[in-house]
Amino acid sequence: MPSELIFWIIVGVIVAALVAATVVVLVSKRKVPPAAPEAEVEVAAPPVMEAEAPSTPAPEPPASRLQRLRRKLSAAENPFAKALLSVLSGTKLDDEAFDDLEATLLTADLGVEPTAKLIEALRREAGVSGTADPAEIKQVLHDELVKLGQPELDRTLHVSGDGVPGVVLVVGVNGTGKTTTIGKLARLLVATDRSVLLGAADTFRAAAADQLQTWGSRVGVETVRGEEGADPASVAYAAIEAGIAKDVDTVVVDTAGRLHNKAGLMDELGKIKRVIEKQAPITEVLLVLDATTGQNGLIQSRVFAEVVEVTGIVLTKLDGSAKGGIVFAVQQELGVPVKLVGLGEGPDDLAPFDVPAFVSALLS
């Protein structure tokens, strides 16, 4: 093949290749109309579920507690009431029945002198009326017990201060249910729309501050506490200081359960009182007594009254006690009213004490 022909064939191939490449470039550069924008779709946000705060049952109103007091002190549930009614259930009261009634009252720790006066009044009424009808004697017994209970005493809980929080100091021996009573008292105060702060000045018992703080959490009130073994007076001082800063209505201060014959602990109680009063007056000092201890509770009350000015008594475990006469005896001993009574283990089993209601329940 002639070389010249080969040359022109090569040139033709090259030209064809260049033309093809040019066509490809032009096609790739051609503008393609943009796709229509997609319509925006609004997606609703998922609903936010708010976590419900753990609910605490509302405290039971004081009036309702009094109704339960009557029921729990009735003869169906209370040993003291049952003993009284067993004596008065006969068709006629003779000398033997009066002796049995006297023994019942003494066993219930009413006290020798009050019992003697009460039996004398009943015998006198029987002699005047010329009858020993149990129904009539029961009414006389009711009236005399109400009189013995001194309903005229002021049973108001003094929980308000003047420009500062009211301060309630709670004292008592070991095992009376003192710390538990403070928790129930906090619920009672919250039920009357009061703001409360608790002071855990019992630093001797390892679990005391934890127990009090647990009660405070249930009720929705704050607890001021210190380290185990800390100076109780300093914790009490800090509690009052916090109460003033937070402008609460009432500060309730727990103290170490102490035996009345331990001089060191009793001196410590006096120190707590003095330290608190540097910031605010103590408006109420409640002595917690176990109603089942009877006369032993009177011994305790005398010693505590020498260290702090007790202004009110709280009787725990009264619903199941055969020693119900302690209600009358401790008031006679101290001249201080029983202000609250414990009715059981529930958080609302603390009620204001009402003498006529108490007596009526015993004899119902």
Side-chain angles (χ1 to χ4, degrees):
M1 178 180 295
S3 59
E4 185 177 350
L5 178 61
I6 294 173
F7 171 77
W8 287 111
I9 291 173
I10 293 172
V11 170
V13 170
I14 292 172
V15 171
L18 289 173
V19 171
T22 302
V23 172
V24 170
V25 170
L26 291 175
V27 170
S28 64
K29 287 185 175 181
R30 190 177 60 182
K31 291 184 179 180
V32 179
E38 294 183 4
E40 294 185 0
V41 178
E42 292 188 4
V43 179
V48 178
M49 301 298 291
E50 294 186 1
E52 292 186 3
S55 59
T56 300
E60 184 179 2
S64 176
R65 295 172 188 236
L66 281 173
Q67 293 177 1
R68 288 195 301 115
L69 167 66
R70 293 186 181 95
R71 186 176 68 253
K72 289 201 171 190
L73 291 176
S74 67
E77 297 191 33
N78 184 267
F80 180 34
K82 188 179 297 183
L84 281 177
L85 289 185
S86 67
V87 176
L88 297 171
S89 60
T91 57
K92 187 176 181 180
L93 289 179
D94 52 18
D95 288 339
E96 183 179 355
F98 275 113
D99 290 341
D100 289 343
L101 180 58
E102 183 175 12
T104 297
L105 295 172
L106 289 171
T107 303
D109 281 330
L110 183 64
V112 175
E113 185 177 347
T115 297
K117 289 182 178 180
L118 189 56
I119 294 298
E120 180 184 352
L122 294 177
R123 287 184 179 275
R124 182 170 60 250
E125 176 62 27
V128 169
S129 63
T131 179
D133 177 60
E136 293 184 16
I137 295 300
K138 181 178 175 180
Q139 183 59 50
V140 177
L141 177 61
H142 175 280
D143 296 342
E144 291 296 326
L145 283 175
V146 169
K147 190 186 305 181
L148 191 62
Q150 304 177 73
E152 70 280 1
L153 292 177
D154 179 17
R155 299 178 199 280
T156 305
L157 281 175
H158 299 286
V159 294
S160 298
D162 184 9
V164 292
V167 180
V168 179
L169 185 65
V170 185
V171 302
V173 303
N174 294 299
T176 57
K178 176 175 51 60
T179 302
T180 299
T181 295
I182 292 174
K184 295 177 181 180
L185 174 60
R187 276 184 65 85
L188 191 63
L189 294 175
V190 168
T192 57
D193 297 323
R194 301 191 65 82
S195 56
V196 180
L197 184 140
L198 303 180
D202 180 357
T203 60
F204 291 99
R205 186 165 61 91
D210 291 338
Q211 183 184 2
L212 191 66
Q213 191 165 22
T214 298
W215 272 105
S217 298
R218 290 175 184 170
V219 186
V221 302
E222 185 180 344
T223 299
V224 175
R225 58 181 295 177
E227 297 294 329
E228 183 180 340
D231 177 26
S234 67
V235 176
Y237 186 92
I240 306 305
E241 190 174 49
I244 293 173
K246 295 175 182 296
D247 195 27
V248 300
D249 296 320
T250 308
V251 179
V252 185
V253 180
D254 189 14
T255 59
R258 59 201 73 224
L259 296 173
H260 54 281
N261 56 0
K262 297 294 183 181
L265 286 177
M266 296 304 286
D267 291 343
E268 181 65 47
L269 184 58
K271 178 183 176 182
I272 291 173
K273 177 179 180 292
R274 292 191 298 274
V275 166
I276 287 175
E277 289 179 333
K278 290 180 180 179
Q279 298 190 87
I282 295 177
T283 54
E284 189 82 69
V285 179
L286 295 176
L287 172 61
V288 181
L289 296 175
D290 181 343
T292 64
T293 60
Q295 288 291 319
N296 192 41
L298 291 182
I299 299 172
Q300 298 167 12
S301 66
R302 294 186 195 112
V303 180
F304 276 99
E306 293 173 2
V307 180
V308 290
E309 185 181 350
V310 176
T311 57
I313 305 293
V314 181
L315 280 176
T316 63
K317 309 174 189 178
L318 186 62
D319 56 312
S321 176
K323 305 288 185 180
I326 186 67
V327 169
F328 307 99
V330 72
Q331 292 188 151
Q332 294 282 334
E333 176 70 29
L334 297 182
V336 172
V338 173
K339 293 191 173 184
L340 297 165
V341 291
L343 310 173
E345 300 299 324
D348 289 319
D349 285 340
L350 186 72
F353 182 65
D354 180 89
V355 176
F358 173 69
V359 174
S360 295
L362 287 178
L363 299 177
S364 63

